[in-house]
Structure formats: structure tokens, C-alpha cells
Amino acid sequence: MIPVFKPKTDFSDIRSVLKALIGNNISGTSPVVKEFENNFSKKFSRDYGVSVSNGSVALDVALKVLNLKENDEVIVPSFTIISCLSAIIRSGAKPIFCDVDPQSWNMTLQNVKDSFSTKTKAVLVVHTYGLVADIKRISDFCKDNSLFLIEDAAEAHGQKIDKQFCGSFGDVSTFSFYANKHITTGEGGILLTDSKNFYEEAKKIRNLDFDNKKRFQHENLYWNYRLSGLQAALGNSQIKKLDKTINFKIKQGNYYRYLLSDALDFIELPLEEHNGTLNHYWVFGILLKKENVRDKLIEELLKEGIETRPFFWPLHLQPVIKDISKENKNLIISEKLGRNGLYIPTGRHITPKLQKKIVEILLEKLREI
């Protein structure tokens, strides 16, 4: 079986974790956790960082610190992971879904404007599948209209727009460190901000509302969302290799582009760059031009030992929110991507020889169905 992704660690990662083990820096309150938060926030040009147990939690905390009221509207792309929707709903706010650009598969300023109303209080921007959203113009729009900007950079580790890192635009920005991310701690996430108030509140939310002056007296029913010291130690090692990881993924993505260049009658390839930013190929997604064959193709590839993943299913079509989705107009691009998109194996375990084999089988099966 060729897995769609397989994490890769090396001796420097092992050494970093072993050092934490030897020093008994294993809990979520170990000094190595603060070290990781400082290293990561400095890397992405932010004043503060609060590490948490995963990227979904980072979104929960980000929405919580904004103190949104019931039915405050938050614009979010329909083409993204359900964690974004869950965080909005759990905050008490109301999700308003927007569509995405048909070429970049990311949200644009026009998408935001199409969903904007007098009830809009925040915009949740998501950088998707290795390309970047229209974050600079959306950021300016938010400032002009006194809106909070939440930036989900879980899939955009290390990407820059005009020399500014993704993850440095939002009032609060979030990252995931799941095993398939450019920087991984196995599981884990972080919230970045330049607001001291958001930072202090996020630390309380992350740690059961503990107050050092009144240790076991709590004003809020918050959560234990801490990242462990061992995860932080792995993260410290991973940060140092980010550029190397990005260069590898770009090289791998470009080779897939070359191998698939004669198949453009069947598939649409991801953009090589967008908004002046190179595709980092967090995943290598393809969009099938023929309708209603994607699931069959995934099934046939699996029979050949090739694991793939379908694209995100649109949020506005999720069964869990039927009542909310009734209020949303037809989001054509998100629905098309959800029906016809998939991504193929990438990562250190995929050699150029394997890439060639994957493409040959993919095209053979695609021509048959």
C-alpha cells in the first residue's frame, strides 16, 4: 500500500525529544513548551503564541477570545475542513458560507463581499491545499469595516505574501501540527496574535482558567488543551527544517505537474503559484473534468494499492447543519470541488519512481471509467 502521506522524522527530531525526556520536560507546563511557543511566534513574526493540543482546538480558542455574541455572523469558506464550522458554532456565532475561486480553490475578497452584511463581525480566512487566500485585500477590508480577522494557516506553514508570512495577518491566526503538516508535533496546534489581551485569555482557556493568585478558584469553565513537553520538543526540531521541507514538496509537486502535463483533457492541475506566492503543495490535488467518477477512481486506485483522499465536502452541505444550510445560496465552485477533487500521495516516502507509477495507474484507471 502506498499511503497518501507518511510522516518522516530524523535523528535531530529524536535527539530533541530525547533531551526533553532526559530533562523530565514532558508535561504541558514544562519550560520546553514556552520555548517552542517563543520560537514559533518569532518565526512567523508575531508577538505571542499559545500552543494547544491540536489545530481544531486552536480555532476553538481563537473564536472564543473574540467574545462574539449569539448570531454574530462569521464569514467562512464552504470549501474547508469542518473544524472551522465547529469552532464558529461552538462560539455562539453564526456561520455564513462563501464560495471560493475556481482556479486557486481559495477565498477571495469578492467572495467575502458577496456574503457580507451589517451582522458580519468576523471573517475566517483559510489558506487551502498549498495555495494562499486573498489575505491582504481581505485584511484591508476587515480593517475598513471593523471586523475581526481569523486566519487559519494550518496548510500554509512557511508561505509568504509580499515577504509577509501567512499566519501573521489575522487578529488571531492558527496552525495545526498534525503529522501531515510541514511542521509536525504528531498532534498539536498554536494560536498566534499581537494582542496581549487575546494572549492572556487564550492561556486561561487552554489551561482550565487557572489563576496563579487563586489557584483553584475558577471564574470560567474552560478546558485542558495543553500541548505536552515532548510534542513541543519535536516542534522545536521541526521548525529548523521548514525551508528544507518546503523545497522538497515544491520539487515533488513540480514533478507531478510534469508527469500529468499530457492529461489536461482529463484533469485540472493545481496552480503553480497564486497571488505571487509559489504553491507549497501541502497536498497535490487534482480536479477531474468528468463528473461523477471521482469516487470510482478512488476505489480503483485503492485496489491497486494507492491511497488517495477526496477533497473537502462543502460545509453548507454537511448533514449536521441542515437548518443552517437552508439559508445559504448555492455555492457552485465549492460543490464542484467537493464532487470531483482528490489528492494523491506526497511526502518523503514517495520517490520519483513511485510518482511515475502512481500517475501511470491513475491515468489508466481514469481512461477506463
Side-chain angles (χ1 to χ4, degrees), residues 130-131 157-160 182 246 249-250 278-282:
L131 288 165
H157 294 199
Q159 286 187 296
K160 292 182 180 179
H182 285 356
I246 289 170
K249 291 300 286 289
I250 291 175
L278 287 177
N279 193 334
H280 281 194
Y281 299 104
W282 173 67

Side-chain angles (χ1 to χ4, degrees), residues 32-45 190 232 235-237 239-240:
V32 70
V33 176
K34 184 61 179 175
E35 179 188 351
F36 173 61
E37 291 170 343
N38 289 341
N39 288 340
F40 197 87
S41 55
K42 181 179 179 180
K43 175 71 175 177
F44 290 91
S45 305
I190 199 167
N236 280 330
S237 174
I239 291 172
K240 299 173 184 177

Side-chain angles (χ1 to χ4, degrees), residues 88-102:
I88 294 169
I89 292 176
R90 282 194 285 261
S91 76
K94 181 178 180 180
I96 300 297
F97 304 112
C98 73
D99 215 345
V100 293
D101 178 71

Side-chain angles (χ1 to χ4, degrees), residues 284-342:
F284 193 92
I286 59 174
L287 185 63
L288 305 184
K289 293 186 175 181
K290 186 177 181 180
E291 288 277 347
N292 303 317
V293 299
R294 192 271 314 277
D295 292 350
K296 179 65 173 176
L297 178 61
I298 288 175
E299 181 182 321
E300 291 299 316
L301 289 174
L302 193 58
K303 290 177 182 177
E304 297 292 332
I306 300 171
E307 185 182 36
T308 60
R309 287 284 186 276
F311 275 7
F312 294 128
W313 189 245
L315 296 183
H316 72 283
L317 298 181
Q318 294 292 341
V320 71
I321 54 155
K322 289 179 181 177
D323 291 341
I324 297 176
S325 61
K326 287 178 182 176
E327 302 177 21
N328 286 272
K329 60 182 179 294
N330 190 28
L331 303 175
I332 297 172
I333 304 304
S334 296
E335 293 180 10
K336 179 180 178 181
L337 294 170
R339 289 193 309 270
N340 303 314
L342 73 153

Side-chain angles (χ1 to χ4, degrees), residues 9 14 17 48 132 167-168 170 178 234 259 265 283 292 310 322 365:
T9 55
I14 296 169
V17 174
Y48 306 104
V132 295
S168 66
Y178 183 62
L234 177 56
L259 293 172
D265 290 340
V283 297
N292 303 317
K322 289 179 181 177
K365 296 301 179 183

Side-chain angles (χ1 to χ4, degrees), residues 102 105 253 255-271 284-291 293-294 297 301 311 336-337 340-344 358-367 369:
W105 312 335
Y255 189 51
Y256 266 137
R257 295 183 64 85
Y258 167 74
L259 293 172
L260 289 163
S261 59
D262 293 332
L264 300 184
D265 290 340
F266 301 96
I267 61 175
E268 179 182 323
L269 297 178
L271 295 180
F284 193 92
I286 59 174
L287 185 63
L288 305 184
K289 293 186 175 181
K290 186 177 181 180
E291 288 277 347
V293 299
R294 192 271 314 277
L297 178 61
L301 289 174
F311 275 7
K336 179 180 178 181
L337 294 170
N340 303 314
L342 73 153
Y343 53 91
I344 57 182
I358 290 165
V359 169
E360 287 174 351
I361 295 174
L362 185 153
L363 295 180
E364 175 188 341
K365 296 301 179 183
L366 189 55
R367 291 185 178 102
I369 58 178

Side-chain angles (χ1 to χ4, degrees), residues 113-136:
K113 287 182 174 180
D114 289 343
S115 299
F116 177 71
S117 78
T118 56
K119 296 180 180 180
T120 304
K121 299 299 180 183
V123 179
L124 200 173
V125 173
V126 187
H127 303 291
T128 303
Y129 289 172
L131 288 165
V132 295
D134 193 8
I135 187 68
K136 288 193 73 173

